Amino acid sequence: MASKKKNSKITNINSGFTPDRIGVLIFAVLLVYMIISIVQYLNAKHVVGYEVMEGSLSQNNTYTAIALRDEEVVSNDTAGSVYYFATEDRRVAKGDLVYIVDESDSLSDLSSLTGDASAVALTEDDYSELKEDIEDFTSTFNKNTFGSVYDFKSSISGTLSKLVNTSYLNNIGELSSSTHNFIYKNAPSSGIVLYSQDGYEDLTLQDMTSDLFDQSQYEKTTFSSSEVVTADSPVYKLATDEDWSIVIQVPDKETADYLLEKEYINIKFLKNQVTAWGQVSTYTNSAGEIFVEFSFTNSMITFATDRFLSIELITENETGLKIPNTSIIEKNFYVIPSDLVNETAEGNTVVHRKTFLEDGSQSSEEVIVSVHSQVDDNYYIDQDAIASGDVLLYPSTNAEFTVSEVASLTGVYNINKGYADFKQIEVLYNNDEYSIVKSNTEYGLNVYDFIALDATSVTDDELIYK
């Protein structure tokens, strides 16, 4: 009899993870992490950062200046034709011949002196003088002030007339004194001869207005040889003092104060690139217009014929940390005595605030605070840590101090650590776009720090993504 065999069912149980399952698990964890990160990123505020670097600001220091001199207008006391013999923008001594008045107008026929006016020849020195005048004009010509061409034309005509008249002067004694009446006019005092008048002769710093700088409205009368003048008419002027000054208009009080603090400024005259140190003074007129004067004790003769001068102020560029003005913000802080602040063993900065227990007894609590600046014996503390009216206790005496005083600091938001941290700054200089701030201050910025480009886009301690 055959025996029956029982079939036994064997089940294999795998109690461990296969490599495939481990890979799936890791992928799932990473997927969840990525999804959470993306959601956080989308919900977080994104702030444009700016890396703080050392730099300097180039200042726009080019101005148009008005020249002020001691100028004495000389009038003619006798009617007649005037002929000039002194060279313009050259010094004459008291008693030197400046011009002749021809009462009978006999010099209108210049050939009566030489037989042929065209025979008058210019010397090498005469040509050199004319060449110098032309070179000066061409080096400073500005097409925006084309009126200077007419001034140049009058100046050259005056120089030529003077040169020709000087030649005739050598022969003037040949004319009969009974027929011709010449009156010699000498300088009443020493000074620089100028053959023009513009109404600016008596100006001082206190007379300045912005209208005086409008060259389109500027008018100058040039005196020329052979013109017939009446008695008491102005015929020339003398710049009598080597001391002189120039005046510019500045846009704001900050600029004026900055220059005034320097006391002396090195001025470059763009006409000939000459530099000179000028002593600074300022004036604000009744209209609120601000003017700065630079006074000199030499070089007046070089610019004696110029009323308007293009100049550049040579000042030291401020250097430090260069940051955008959009990064700068004013923030309020509570001001408390520094004696109220302690540092714990863990390195936290704390104050002790007065509290009361449930049974009504007095106690105190430690409050962690952030110190942003120290002025004298006071600390500037964040307003989110303590509040107005809080009573703080001095650690050594338990004497009480009530928080109340508020003051503001200028600063930026440092975002190095992924959150907005206010840092105080000290602005050295600024223009319309950037500021130069002092580096390595105790509570301020350092080179390579990252700050919020737009300070209004963040708030204190806010988590941010750059």
Side-chain angles (χ1 to χ4, degrees):
M1 184 173 175
S3 60
K4 295 181 179 179
K5 293 182 179 178
K6 292 183 179 180
N7 294 326
S8 58
K9 186 176 180 179
I10 299 174
T11 304
N12 293 323
I13 300 175
N14 191 343
S15 59
F17 290 106
T18 65
D20 290 341
R21 290 178 178 178
I22 294 175
V24 171
L25 180 60
I26 293 174
F27 177 77
V29 172
L30 290 175
L31 180 61
V32 171
Y33 173 78
M34 291 176 62
I35 293 173
I36 294 174
S37 298
I38 291 172
V39 171
Q40 289 180 336
Y41 180 80
L42 293 176
N43 291 331
K45 179 177 287 187
H46 302 279
V47 176
V48 178
Y50 177 87
E51 186 177 12
V52 177
M53 301 295 289
E54 291 183 343
S56 62
L57 290 183
S58 58
Q59 306 172 32
N60 182 12
N61 284 341
T62 301
Y63 294 88
T64 296
I66 292 177
L68 304 181
R69 296 171 284 266
D70 288 335
E71 297 172 333
E72 175 187 344
V73 178
V74 180
S75 296
N76 179 45
D77 56 6
T78 306
S81 299
V82 173
Y83 294 87
Y84 296 106
F85 294 94
T87 303
E88 185 173 34
D89 74 13
R90 296 293 187 271
R91 184 177 297 278
V92 294
K94 181 179 179 179
D96 284 353
L97 177 64
V98 178
Y99 68 100
I100 288 177
V101 178
D102 179 10
E103 289 186 297
S104 60
D105 199 24
S106 59
L107 291 181
S108 59
D109 181 13
L110 298 180
S111 61
S112 62
L113 290 176
T114 62
D116 182 3
S118 62
V120 176
L122 300 180
T123 66
E124 288 297 325
D125 289 341
D126 295 336
Y127 280 116
S128 177
E129 182 178 342
L130 289 172
K131 181 180 178 182
E132 181 180 343
D133 291 342
I134 294 171
E135 288 177 346
D136 285 345
F137 172 76
T138 55
S139 64
T140 59
F141 173 68
N142 185 341
K143 64 181 180 181
N144 294 323
T145 55
F146 191 76
S148 61
V149 173
Y150 300 101
D151 294 337
F152 173 67
K153 175 185 176 183
S154 298
S155 176
I156 288 295
S157 296
T159 301
L160 285 171
S161 296
K162 183 270 302 181
L163 295 175
V164 172
N165 292 345
T166 300
S167 176
Y168 294 146
L169 182 63
N170 297 327
N171 300 313
I172 200 170
E174 298 176 4
L175 297 179
S176 170
S177 59
S178 60
T179 307
H180 306 287
N181 187 14
F182 303 117
I183 301 177
Y184 293 79
K185 295 295 184 179
N186 301 323
S189 59
S190 63
I192 309 301
V193 176
L194 303 170
Y195 293 125
S196 64
Q197 184 181 22
D198 58 7
Y200 284 46
E201 285 78 14
D202 297 321
L203 284 181
T204 65
L205 175 62
Q206 287 69 32
D207 299 319
M208 284 295 144
T209 65
S210 59
D211 294 340
L212 294 172
F213 289 80
D214 185 359
Q215 296 187 55
S216 65
Q217 303 298 319
Y218 175 73
E219 295 181 357
K220 181 170 74 171
T221 301
T222 301
F223 307 121
S224 301
S225 277
S226 74
E227 289 185 349
V228 178
V229 299
T230 60
D232 299 324
S233 296
V235 285
Y236 72 97
K237 64 185 178 185
L238 287 172
T240 57
D241 198 328
E242 188 66 17
D243 292 345
W244 66 298
S245 66
I246 58 175
V247 177
I248 63 173
Q249 184 176 2
V250 295
D252 49 52
K253 186 176 183 298
E254 289 74 17
T255 302
D257 290 344
Y258 171 79
L259 296 173
L260 188 61
E261 185 179 357
K262 296 285 188 181
E263 296 187 17
Y264 286 87
I265 296 293
N266 197 14
I267 308 295
K268 176 187 288 186
F269 296 92
L270 302 186
K271 173 181 179 179
N272 54 8
Q273 303 300 304
V274 169
T275 61
W277 287 91
Q279 185 175 11
V280 182
S281 53
T282 65
Y283 173 72
T284 302
N285 64 17
S286 58
E289 298 169 334
I290 306 172
F291 303 92
V292 178
E293 181 178 42
F294 305 99
S295 301
F296 308 94
T297 58
N298 54 49
S299 304
M300 184 273 290
I301 189 173
T302 305
F303 309 100
T305 59
D306 299 302
R307 183 63 71 189
F308 294 96
L309 289 165
S310 294
I311 66 166
E312 180 182 356
L313 310 185
I314 304 176
T315 58
E316 296 179 2
N317 286 337
E318 297 287 1
T319 59
L321 303 180
K322 185 176 182 180
I323 63 173
N325 291 337
T326 55
S327 297
I328 300 174
I329 196 170
E330 295 283 330
K331 183 184 173 184
N332 290 330
F333 295 87
Y334 288 119
V335 181
I336 66 173
S338 57
D339 291 344
L340 289 167
V341 180
N342 272 354
E343 186 172 337
T344 67
E346 295 79 15
N348 294 323
T349 303
V350 300
V351 295
H352 293 85
R353 181 165 54 193
K354 179 180 177 180
T355 61
F356 292 91
L357 301 177
E358 293 182 358
D359 60 5
S361 60
Q362 179 178 317
S363 183
S364 66
E365 61 178 349
E366 282 189 352
V367 180
I368 298 176
V369 296
S370 296
V371 177
H372 287 275
S373 182
Q374 180 177 9
V375 178
D376 298 328
D377 294 327
N378 293 322
Y379 281 155
Y380 285 66
I381 305 298
D382 267 333
Q383 288 186 314
D384 57 356
I386 55 178
S388 179
D390 282 354
V391 177
L392 306 182
L393 304 176
Y394 285 90
S396 57
T397 63
N398 270 347
E400 297 181 352
F401 173 85
T402 302
V403 177
S404 61
E405 183 181 353
V406 175
S408 64
L409 293 176
T410 301
V412 298
Y413 282 112
N414 187 309
I415 58 175
N416 286 348
K417 300 178 181 179
Y419 62 89
D421 182 19
F422 183 88
K423 294 292 185 180
Q424 182 192 7
I425 60 173
E426 181 181 343
V427 177
L428 300 175
Y429 187 80
N430 64 347
N431 59 22
D432 293 338
E433 296 182 6
Y434 291 92
S435 291
I436 297 298
V437 304
K438 192 173 182 179
S439 60
N440 298 321
T441 56
E442 183 177 0
Y443 300 99
L445 293 176
N446 294 301
V447 66
Y448 307 126
D449 280 347
F450 275 91
I451 60 176
L453 180 62
D454 181 4
T456 62
S457 66
V458 297
T459 57
D460 289 311
D461 299 323
E462 180 180 13
L463 294 174
I464 56 176
Y465 286 87
K466 293 185 283 184

